[in-house]
Amino acid sequence: MAGTTPRTDVLPAEWWERLGARLIEALVFGVFYYILFIALWGFFRTVGMAEVFGGRLPGVFAWLVAGLAYAGYDWWAHSRRGRTFGKAIMKIRLAPEGLSSRVLLRRTIVYPAPVMLMGIPVVNLVAGMLLFGVGLLILMDKPLERGPHDRAAGTRVVKDLR
């Protein structure tokens, strides 16, 4: 219909808004990872296990815990408010609203949960390619710009101009 204003819940978020939201969250969880890494390194050194797996054990554990915490936060935030703090800062959110926790868990398992594998040597290459692939698929999916995690849950990331 000519002359009507489009509804804001159908305007997909731009790729850079989504990337910005993830980068903001990555900064916060990166700090959490380094604090956890230092604590685990001290613990493993104290118990004489600092050199297990060539000294990589603290990093692997820290990445797994931080990745699991991030995936859990992603699921919880989307279940509770329909957006994470990064999405809130970038003024974007998930649509439709009111999705079940089970549907949102499916979204989280597809992405970002596999990113927690990036701390494991060699597996991190596959996880990095997965992360890169998710970004490419979002860019290629026109006009909705949905990633595989959005498709698995039937969601879209949209502008939140309310």
Coordinates of all heavy atoms in Angstrom, one line a residue, residues 22-83:
R22 N 28.0 -8.9 18.1 CA 28.8 -10.1 18.4 C 30.2 -9.6 18.9 O 30.8 -10.2 19.8 CB 29.0 -11.1 17.3 CG 27.7 -11.8 17.0 CD 27.4 -12.9 18.0 NE 26.2 -13.7 17.6 CZ 25.6 -14.5 18.3 NH1 26.0 -14.7 19.6 NH2 24.6 -15.2 17.9
L23 N 30.7 -8.6 18.3 CA 32.1 -8.1 18.7 C 32.0 -7.5 20.1 O 32.9 -7.6 20.9 CB 32.6 -7.1 17.7 CG 33.0 -7.6 16.4 CD1 33.4 -6.5 15.4 CD2 34.2 -8.6 16.5
I24 N 30.9 -6.8 20.4 CA 30.8 -6.2 21.8 C 30.7 -7.3 22.8 O 31.4 -7.3 23.8 CB 29.5 -5.3 21.8 CG1 29.7 -4.1 21.0 CG2 29.1 -5.0 23.3 CD1 28.3 -3.3 20.7
E25 N 30.0 -8.4 22.5 CA 29.9 -9.5 23.4 C 31.2 -10.2 23.5 O 31.6 -10.7 24.6 CB 28.8 -10.4 23.0 CG 27.4 -9.8 23.1 CD 26.3 -10.4 22.2 OE1 26.6 -11.5 21.6 OE2 25.2 -9.9 22.2
A26 N 31.9 -10.4 22.4 CA 33.2 -11.1 22.3 C 34.2 -10.3 23.2 O 35.0 -11.0 23.9 CB 33.7 -11.2 20.9
L27 N 34.1 -9.0 23.2 CA 35.1 -8.2 24.1 C 34.8 -8.6 25.6 O 35.8 -8.9 26.3 CB 34.9 -6.7 23.8 CG 35.7 -5.8 24.7 CD1 37.2 -6.0 24.3 CD2 35.3 -4.4 24.5
V28 N 33.6 -8.6 26.0 CA 33.3 -8.9 27.4 C 33.7 -10.3 27.7 O 34.3 -10.6 28.7 CB 31.8 -8.6 27.7 CG1 31.4 -9.1 29.1 CG2 31.5 -7.1 27.5
F29 N 33.3 -11.3 26.9 CA 33.6 -12.7 27.2 C 35.1 -13.0 27.0 O 35.6 -13.9 27.6 CB 32.7 -13.6 26.4 CG 31.3 -13.8 27.0 CD1 30.3 -12.9 26.7 CD2 31.1 -14.7 28.0 CE1 29.1 -13.0 27.3 CE2 29.9 -14.9 28.6 CZ 28.9 -14.0 28.3
G30 N 35.7 -12.2 26.2 CA 37.2 -12.3 26.0 C 37.9 -12.0 27.3 O 38.8 -12.6 27.8
V31 N 37.4 -10.9 28.0 CA 38.0 -10.5 29.3 C 37.7 -11.7 30.3 O 38.6 -12.1 31.1 CB 37.4 -9.2 29.8 CG1 37.7 -8.9 31.2 CG2 37.8 -8.1 28.9
F32 N 36.5 -12.2 30.3 CA 36.2 -13.4 31.1 C 37.1 -14.5 30.9 O 37.6 -15.2 31.8 CB 34.7 -13.8 30.9 CG 34.3 -15.0 31.7 CD1 34.3 -15.1 33.0 CD2 33.9 -16.1 30.9 CE1 33.9 -16.2 33.7 CE2 33.6 -17.3 31.6 CZ 33.6 -17.4 33.0
Y33 N 37.4 -14.8 29.6 CA 38.3 -15.9 29.2 C 39.7 -15.7 29.8 O 40.2 -16.6 30.4 CB 38.3 -16.0 27.7 CG 39.6 -16.8 27.2 CD1 39.6 -18.2 27.3 CD2 40.7 -16.2 26.8 CE1 40.7 -18.9 26.9 CE2 41.8 -16.9 26.4 CZ 41.8 -18.3 26.5 OH 42.9 -19.0 26.1
Y34 N 40.2 -14.5 29.6 CA 41.6 -14.3 30.1 C 41.7 -14.4 31.6 O 42.6 -14.9 32.2 CB 42.1 -12.9 29.6 CG 42.6 -13.1 28.2 CD1 41.9 -12.5 27.1 CD2 43.7 -13.9 27.9 CE1 42.3 -12.7 25.8 CE2 44.1 -14.1 26.6 CZ 43.4 -13.5 25.6 OH 43.8 -13.7 24.3
I35 N 40.7 -13.9 32.3 CA 40.7 -14.0 33.8 C 40.6 -15.5 34.2 O 41.3 -15.9 35.1 CB 39.5 -13.2 34.4 CG1 39.7 -11.7 34.3 CG2 39.3 -13.6 35.9 CD1 38.5 -10.9 34.6
L36 N 39.7 -16.2 33.5 CA 39.6 -17.7 33.8 C 40.9 -18.4 33.4 O 41.4 -19.3 34.1 CB 38.4 -18.2 33.0 CG 38.0 -19.6 33.2 CD1 37.6 -19.8 34.7 CD2 36.8 -20.0 32.3
F37 N 41.5 -18.0 32.3 CA 42.8 -18.6 31.9 C 43.9 -18.4 32.9 O 44.6 -19.4 33.3 CB 43.2 -18.0 30.5 CG 44.6 -18.5 30.2 CD1 44.8 -19.8 29.6 CD2 45.7 -17.7 30.4 CE1 46.1 -20.2 29.3 CE2 47.0 -18.1 30.0 CZ 47.2 -19.4 29.5
I38 N 44.0 -17.2 33.4 CA 45.0 -16.9 34.4 C 44.7 -17.7 35.7 O 45.7 -18.3 36.3 CB 45.1 -15.4 34.8 CG1 45.6 -14.7 33.5 CG2 45.9 -15.1 36.0 CD1 45.5 -13.2 33.6
A39 N 43.5 -17.8 36.1 CA 43.1 -18.6 37.3 C 43.4 -20.1 37.1 O 44.0 -20.8 38.0 CB 41.7 -18.4 37.7
L40 N 43.1 -20.6 35.9 CA 43.3 -22.0 35.6 C 44.8 -22.3 35.5 O 45.3 -23.4 35.9 CB 42.6 -22.5 34.4 CG 41.1 -22.6 34.6 CD1 40.4 -22.8 33.2 CD2 40.7 -23.8 35.5
W41 N 45.5 -21.4 34.9 CA 47.0 -21.6 34.7 C 47.6 -21.7 36.1 O 48.4 -22.5 36.4 CB 47.6 -20.4 34.0 CG 49.1 -20.6 33.8 CD1 49.7 -21.3 32.8 CD2 50.1 -19.9 34.5 NE1 51.1 -21.2 33.0 CE2 51.3 -20.4 34.0 CE3 50.1 -19.0 35.6 CZ2 52.5 -19.9 34.6 CZ3 51.3 -18.6 36.1 CH2 52.5 -19.1 35.6
G42 N 47.2 -20.8 37.0 CA 47.7 -20.8 38.4 C 47.3 -22.1 39.1 O 48.2 -22.8 39.8
F43 N 46.1 -22.6 38.9 CA 45.7 -23.8 39.5 C 46.5 -25.0 39.0 O 47.0 -25.8 39.7 CB 44.2 -24.1 39.3 CG 43.7 -25.4 39.7 CD1 43.5 -25.7 41.0 CD2 43.5 -26.4 38.8 CE1 43.1 -27.0 41.4 CE2 43.0 -27.7 39.1 CZ 42.9 -28.0 40.5
F44 N 46.6 -25.1 37.6 CA 47.3 -26.3 37.0 C 48.8 -26.2 37.4 O 49.4 -27.3 37.5 CB 47.1 -26.3 35.5 CG 45.7 -26.8 35.1 CD1 44.9 -26.1 34.3 CD2 45.2 -28.0 35.6 CE1 43.6 -26.5 33.9 CE2 43.9 -28.4 35.3 CZ 43.1 -27.7 34.4
R45 N 49.3 -25.1 37.5 CA 50.7 -25.0 37.9 C 50.9 -25.4 39.3 O 51.9 -26.1 39.7 CB 51.2 -23.5 37.7 CG 52.6 -23.4 38.0 CD 53.1 -22.0 37.6 NE 54.6 -22.0 37.9 CZ 55.2 -20.9 38.0 NH1 54.6 -19.7 37.9 NH2 56.5 -20.9 38.3
T46 N 50.0 -25.1 40.2 CA 50.0 -25.5 41.6 C 50.0 -27.0 41.8 O 50.7 -27.6 42.6 CB 48.9 -24.8 42.4 OG1 49.0 -23.4 42.3 CG2 49.0 -25.2 43.9
V47 N 49.1 -27.6 41.0 CA 49.0 -29.1 41.1 C 49.9 -29.9 40.2 O 49.8 -31.1 40.1 CB 47.5 -29.5 40.9 CG1 46.6 -28.9 41.9 CG2 47.0 -29.2 39.4
G48 N 50.8 -29.2 39.5 CA 51.8 -29.8 38.7 C 51.4 -30.3 37.4 O 51.9 -31.2 36.8
M49 N 50.3 -29.7 36.8 CA 49.8 -30.1 35.5 C 49.9 -29.0 34.5 O 49.3 -29.1 33.4 CB 48.3 -30.5 35.7 CG 48.1 -31.8 36.5 SD 46.3 -32.1 36.7 CE 45.8 -32.4 35.1
A50 N 50.7 -28.0 34.7 CA 50.8 -26.9 33.8 C 51.4 -27.3 32.4 O 51.0 -26.7 31.4 CB 51.7 -25.8 34.4
E51 N 52.2 -28.4 32.4 CA 52.8 -28.8 31.1 C 52.0 -29.9 30.4 O 52.5 -30.4 29.3 CB 54.2 -29.1 31.3 CG 55.1 -28.0 31.8 CD 55.0 -26.8 30.8 OE1 55.1 -26.9 29.6 OE2 54.9 -25.6 31.3
V52 N 50.9 -30.3 30.9 CA 50.1 -31.3 30.2 C 49.6 -30.8 28.9 O 49.2 -29.6 28.8 CB 48.9 -31.8 31.1 CG1 48.0 -32.8 30.4 CG2 49.4 -32.4 32.4
F53 N 49.7 -31.6 27.8 CA 49.3 -31.2 26.5 C 50.1 -30.0 26.0 O 49.6 -29.1 25.4 CB 47.8 -30.9 26.3 CG 47.0 -32.1 26.6 CD1 46.1 -32.1 27.7 CD2 47.0 -33.2 25.8 CE1 45.3 -33.2 27.9 CE2 46.2 -34.3 26.1 CZ 45.4 -34.3 27.1
G54 N 51.4 -30.0 26.4 CA 52.3 -28.9 25.9 C 52.0 -27.6 26.5 O 52.2 -26.5 25.9
G55 N 51.4 -27.5 27.7 CA 51.0 -26.3 28.4 C 49.7 -25.7 27.9 O 49.4 -24.6 28.2
R56 N 49.0 -26.4 27.1 CA 47.7 -25.9 26.5 C 46.5 -26.2 27.4 O 45.4 -25.7 27.1 CB 47.5 -26.5 25.1 CG 48.5 -26.1 24.1 CD 48.2 -26.6 22.7 NE 49.2 -26.2 21.8 CZ 50.0 -27.1 21.2 NH1 49.8 -28.4 21.4 NH2 50.9 -26.6 20.3
L57 N 46.6 -27.0 28.4 CA 45.5 -27.4 29.2 C 44.7 -26.2 29.8 O 43.5 -26.2 29.7 CB 45.9 -28.4 30.3 CG 44.8 -29.1 31.0 CD1 44.0 -29.9 30.0 CD2 45.4 -30.1 32.0
P58 N 45.4 -25.2 30.4 CA 44.6 -24.1 30.9 C 43.8 -23.4 29.8 O 42.6 -23.0 30.1 CB 45.6 -23.2 31.6 CG 46.8 -24.0 31.8 CD 46.8 -25.1 30.7
G59 N 44.4 -23.2 28.7 CA 43.7 -22.5 27.6 C 42.5 -23.3 27.1 O 41.5 -22.7 26.8
V60 N 42.7 -24.6 26.9 CA 41.6 -25.4 26.5 C 40.4 -25.4 27.5 O 39.3 -25.1 27.1 CB 42.0 -26.9 26.2 CG1 40.8 -27.8 26.0 CG2 43.0 -26.9 25.1
F61 N 40.7 -25.5 28.7 CA 39.6 -25.5 29.8 C 39.0 -24.1 29.8 O 37.8 -24.0 29.9 CB 40.2 -25.9 31.1 CG 40.1 -27.3 31.4 CD1 41.2 -28.2 31.3 CD2 38.9 -27.9 31.8 CE1 41.2 -29.5 31.5 CE2 38.8 -29.3 32.1 CZ 40.0 -30.1 31.9
A62 N 39.8 -23.1 29.8 CA 39.3 -21.7 29.9 C 38.4 -21.4 28.7 O 37.3 -20.8 28.8 CB 40.4 -20.7 29.9
W63 N 38.8 -21.9 27.5 CA 38.0 -21.6 26.3 C 36.7 -22.4 26.4 O 35.6 -21.9 26.0 CB 38.7 -21.9 25.0 CG 38.1 -21.3 23.8 CD1 37.0 -21.9 23.1 CD2 38.3 -20.1 23.2 NE1 36.6 -21.0 22.1 CE2 37.4 -19.9 22.2 CE3 39.2 -19.1 23.5 CZ2 37.4 -18.8 21.4 CZ3 39.2 -17.9 22.7 CH2 38.3 -17.8 21.7
L64 N 36.7 -23.7 26.8 CA 35.5 -24.5 26.9 C 34.5 -23.8 27.9 O 33.3 -23.7 27.6 CB 35.9 -25.9 27.3 CG 36.5 -26.8 26.2 CD1 36.9 -28.1 26.8 CD2 35.5 -27.0 25.1
V65 N 35.0 -23.4 29.0 CA 34.2 -22.8 30.1 C 33.6 -21.5 29.6 O 32.4 -21.2 29.7 CB 34.9 -22.7 31.4 CG1 34.1 -21.9 32.4 CG2 35.2 -24.1 32.0
A66 N 34.5 -20.6 29.0 CA 34.0 -19.3 28.5 C 33.0 -19.5 27.4 O 32.0 -18.8 27.3 CB 35.2 -18.5 28.1
G67 N 33.3 -20.5 26.5 CA 32.4 -20.7 25.4 C 31.1 -21.3 25.8 O 30.0 -20.9 25.3
L68 N 31.1 -22.2 26.8 CA 29.8 -22.7 27.3 C 29.1 -21.6 28.0 O 27.8 -21.5 27.9 CB 30.1 -23.8 28.3 CG 28.9 -24.5 28.9 CD1 28.1 -25.2 27.8 CD2 29.4 -25.6 29.9
A69 N 29.8 -20.7 28.8 CA 29.1 -19.6 29.5 C 28.5 -18.7 28.4 O 27.4 -18.2 28.6 CB 30.1 -18.8 30.3
Y70 N 29.2 -18.4 27.3 CA 28.7 -17.5 26.3 C 27.4 -18.1 25.6 O 26.4 -17.4 25.4 CB 29.7 -17.2 25.3 CG 29.2 -16.2 24.2 CD1 28.7 -15.0 24.5 CD2 29.2 -16.6 22.9 CE1 28.3 -14.1 23.5 CE2 28.7 -15.8 21.9 CZ 28.2 -14.5 22.2 OH 27.8 -13.7 21.2
A71 N 27.5 -19.4 25.3 CA 26.4 -20.1 24.7 C 25.2 -20.1 25.7 O 24.0 -19.8 25.3 CB 26.7 -21.5 24.3
G72 N 25.4 -20.3 26.9 CA 24.4 -20.3 27.9 C 23.8 -18.9 28.1 O 22.5 -18.8 28.2
Y73 N 24.6 -17.9 28.1 CA 24.1 -16.5 28.1 C 23.3 -16.2 26.9 O 22.2 -15.6 27.0 CB 25.3 -15.5 28.3 CG 24.8 -14.1 28.0 CD1 24.1 -13.5 29.0 CD2 25.0 -13.5 26.8 CE1 23.6 -12.2 28.8 CE2 24.5 -12.2 26.6 CZ 23.8 -11.6 27.5 OH 23.3 -10.3 27.3
D74 N 23.8 -16.6 25.7 CA 23.0 -16.3 24.5 C 21.6 -16.9 24.6 O 20.7 -16.2 24.2 CB 23.8 -16.9 23.3 CG 23.3 -16.5 22.0 OD1 23.6 -15.4 21.5 OD2 22.5 -17.3 21.4
W75 N 21.5 -18.2 25.0 CA 20.2 -18.8 25.1 C 19.4 -18.1 26.1 O 18.2 -17.8 25.9 CB 20.4 -20.3 25.5 CG 19.1 -21.0 25.8 CD1 18.2 -21.4 25.0 CD2 18.7 -21.2 27.1 NE1 17.1 -21.9 25.7 CE2 17.4 -21.8 27.0 CE3 19.2 -21.0 28.4 CZ2 16.7 -22.3 28.1 CZ3 18.5 -21.4 29.5 CH2 17.2 -22.0 29.4
W76 N 19.9 -17.8 27.3 CA 19.2 -17.2 28.4 C 18.7 -15.8 28.0 O 17.5 -15.5 28.2 CB 20.0 -17.1 29.6 CG 19.4 -16.4 30.8 CD1 18.5 -16.9 31.7 CD2 19.6 -15.1 31.2 NE1 18.1 -15.9 32.6 CE2 18.8 -14.8 32.3 CE3 20.4 -14.0 30.7 CZ2 18.8 -13.6 32.9 CZ3 20.4 -12.8 31.3 CH2 19.6 -12.6 32.4
A77 N 19.5 -15.0 27.4 CA 19.2 -13.6 27.1 C 18.1 -13.6 26.0 O 17.1 -12.8 26.1 CB 20.4 -12.9 26.6
H78 N 18.2 -14.5 25.0 CA 17.2 -14.5 24.0 C 15.9 -15.1 24.5 O 14.8 -14.6 24.1 CB 17.7 -15.3 22.8 CG 18.7 -14.6 21.9 ND1 19.9 -15.1 21.7 CD2 18.6 -13.4 21.3 CE1 20.6 -14.3 21.0 NE2 19.8 -13.2 20.7
S79 N 15.9 -16.0 25.4 CA 14.7 -16.6 26.1 C 14.0 -15.5 26.9 O 12.8 -15.5 27.0 CB 15.1 -17.8 26.9 OG 15.6 -18.8 26.2
R80 N 14.8 -14.7 27.6 CA 14.2 -13.8 28.5 C 13.8 -12.5 27.9 O 12.7 -12.0 28.1 CB 15.3 -13.5 29.6 CG 14.8 -12.7 30.8 CD 15.7 -12.8 31.9 NE 15.2 -12.1 33.1 CZ 15.7 -11.0 33.5 NH1 16.7 -10.4 32.9 NH2 15.1 -10.4 34.5
R81 N 14.7 -11.9 27.0 CA 14.4 -10.5 26.5 C 14.4 -10.5 25.0 O 14.1 -9.4 24.4 CB 15.4 -9.6 27.0 CG 15.5 -9.4 28.5 CD 16.5 -8.4 28.9 NE 17.8 -8.6 28.4 CZ 18.8 -9.2 29.0 NH1 18.6 -9.8 30.2 NH2 20.0 -9.4 28.4
G82 N 14.7 -11.6 24.3 CA 14.7 -11.6 22.8 C 16.0 -10.9 22.2 O 16.0 -10.7 21.0
R83 N 16.9 -10.6 23.1 CA 18.2 -10.0 22.6 C 19.2 -10.1 23.7 O 19.0 -10.2 24.9 CB 18.0 -8.6 22.2 CG 17.5 -7.7 23.3 CD 17.2 -6.3 22.8 NE 16.8 -5.5 23.9 CZ 16.4 -4.2 23.7 NH1 16.4 -3.7 22.5 NH2 16.0 -3.5 24.8

